[in-house]
Amino acid sequence: MLTAIVVDYGLLKSRMLKAKAGDDQDSLTVSARFKVFMLSLTFCASIAFGNVGLNYVQLSFAHMIYSTTPIFTLAISALILGEQHHVIKYTAMMPICLGASFTIMGEVQYDQTGCLFVFVATMLRGVKSIQQSYLLQEEKISSVLLLYMMAIPSFCILAVAALVLENWAGLESPLHYDRHLWVLVLLSCLGSVMYNLSSSCIITLTSAVTLHILGNLTVVGNLLLSQLLFGSQLSVLSCAGMALSLLGMLIYQNSELIADYVDSRRARRVGRPEDG
C-alpha cells in the first residue's frame, strides 16, 4: 500500500495523466470519498479474514474456496446493484469454479472455523470488486486515482493493526536480512501495484465478474507454465479441471449468443402450429 501511494502519486503528478478526466481528487464529492474509504475497509477486512483462516486450513483448501469468488461476485452484483444476469451466466460459473478447484485439489485439511473465515474473505473479495466497479464506472474515478485514494487509509489501517496485533518481540532487526531480499520485496510491491492497476482497468472495461473469472484461469496458466519450465507432471484431475475452466469461460463469453439461440428456438417452438 505504501508503494501504491508513492507510485500513484508520481503518476498523478506526471504530465501524462494530469489532463485526464477522473484524475482530479478535489472534484470528488464527499459521498464518493466515503465510498472509497468503505472500499479500503472491505479490502483490509478481506485480507484479515483470509490470513486468520490460513491459521486453520491449508493454502490449497483456501484456494479451492477462493475459486468460488465469481459466483459470489455475480450474486452480490444482482443483490446490491440490481443487475440482471441470464441464467446461462450462472450456469457458466459452475464449470469455471469447479474446474479451478480440480486443478488445485489435493490433500486438504478441513476445519470449520478456518472454513468460515475463508468464506467470509471470499465474500468480501466479491464485495470489494463490486465497490470498485461502481466507483470506476459510475463515479468515473480513474484507476490510478482510485488506487491512490484507497491505499492511504488501507496503509494506515493495516499499519495500526500490525502494531497492535503482531508479536514484534519475535521479529529480527531489518538490518539482519540480506539486501537482495529487500530488492525482491520492492519488486514484489511494484508487481502488486501493477496488478491492482491492471485489475481496475479490467473492471472499468468489462466487469468485476470477468476479473475473477480471469483470476481462476491463471490457475490453468500456472499449471501449464510449471510443466514447461519445471517439468511438473499434470494429473488427470488437473487436466479435467483445466478443460472445465476453459469450457465455462467459453460459455460465459458467449452467454448472450447462447441465450439468443435458446430464446429463438423456444419462440419457434411456441409459434409452430399443432399438427392435426
Side-chain angles (χ1 to χ4, degrees), residues 42-74 93 96-104 108 113-129 195 208-209 211-219:
T42 306
F43 168 75
C44 295
S46 65
I47 292 179
F49 277 99
N51 285 348
V52 173
L54 290 176
N55 289 324
Y56 299 93
V57 298
Q58 294 178 351
L59 184 62
S60 59
F61 182 77
H63 277 295
M64 287 175 59
I65 298 179
Y66 289 153
S67 66
T68 63
T69 304
I71 297 179
F72 280 94
T73 308
L74 199 68
M93 294 297 104
I96 291 175
C97 299
L98 191 61
S101 298
F102 280 175
T103 57
I104 52 182
V108 296
T113 304
C115 184
L116 175 62
F117 280 118
V118 175
F119 262 116
V120 173
T122 304
M123 183 187 66
L124 289 173
R125 290 175 66 183
V127 173
K128 179 180 72 72
S129 300
Y195 169 79
V209 179
L211 173 67
H212 291 298
I213 290 176
L214 293 174
N216 277 1
L217 289 180
T218 58
V219 177

Side-chain angles (χ1 to χ4, degrees), residues 89-273:
K89 288 190 175 182
Y90 289 100
T91 304
M93 294 297 104
M94 301 307 296
I96 291 175
C97 299
L98 191 61
S101 298
F102 280 175
T103 57
I104 52 182
M105 188 175 293
E107 294 296 327
V108 296
Q109 176 184 352
Y110 176 79
D111 182 89
Q112 186 174 1
T113 304
C115 184
L116 175 62
F117 280 118
V118 175
F119 262 116
V120 173
T122 304
M123 183 187 66
L124 289 173
R125 290 175 66 183
V127 173
K128 179 180 72 72
S129 300
I130 297 301
Q131 290 175 298
Q132 279 183 286
S133 176
Y134 180 84
L135 290 169
L136 291 167
Q137 298 178 357
E138 302 299 329
E139 296 289 347
K140 304 299 181 183
I141 303 176
S142 70
S143 301
V144 177
L145 180 59
L146 179 59
L147 181 57
Y148 172 72
M149 294 184 62
M150 185 193 78
I152 296 175
S154 297
F155 171 75
C156 296
I157 294 171
L158 294 173
V160 171
L163 290 173
V164 173
L165 301 175
E166 296 293 336
N167 181 18
W168 292 97
L171 296 180
E172 296 181 358
S173 172
L175 298 177
H176 291 171
Y177 296 102
D178 188 83
R179 67 180 64 178
H180 297 292
L181 174 63
W182 292 109
V183 173
L184 294 175
V185 170
L186 178 59
L187 290 176
S188 176
C189 292
L190 290 173
S192 179
V193 173
M194 294 300 104
Y195 169 79
N196 286 321
L197 285 175
S198 61
S199 298
S200 297
C201 291
I202 291 174
I203 293 177
T204 303
L205 297 174
T206 57
S207 67
V209 179
T210 303
L211 173 67
H212 291 298
I213 290 176
L214 293 174
N216 277 1
L217 289 180
T218 58
V219 177
V220 177
N222 289 339
L223 285 175
L224 294 177
L225 283 176
S226 65
Q227 185 184 33
L228 291 175
L229 298 177
F230 307 110
S232 302
Q233 297 296 323
L234 295 179
S235 64
V236 176
L237 195 60
S238 296
C239 294
M242 289 190 291
L244 280 174
S245 297
L246 294 175
L247 175 63
M249 182 65 180
L250 185 64
I251 295 173
Y252 179 83
Q253 188 68 25
N254 298 279
S255 58
E256 294 183 1
L257 293 176
I258 298 174
D260 292 339
Y261 175 76
V262 172
D263 292 340
S264 63
R265 293 275 298 181
R266 186 179 302 166
R268 194 178 306 169
R269 188 179 299 121
V270 172
R272 183 183 302 169

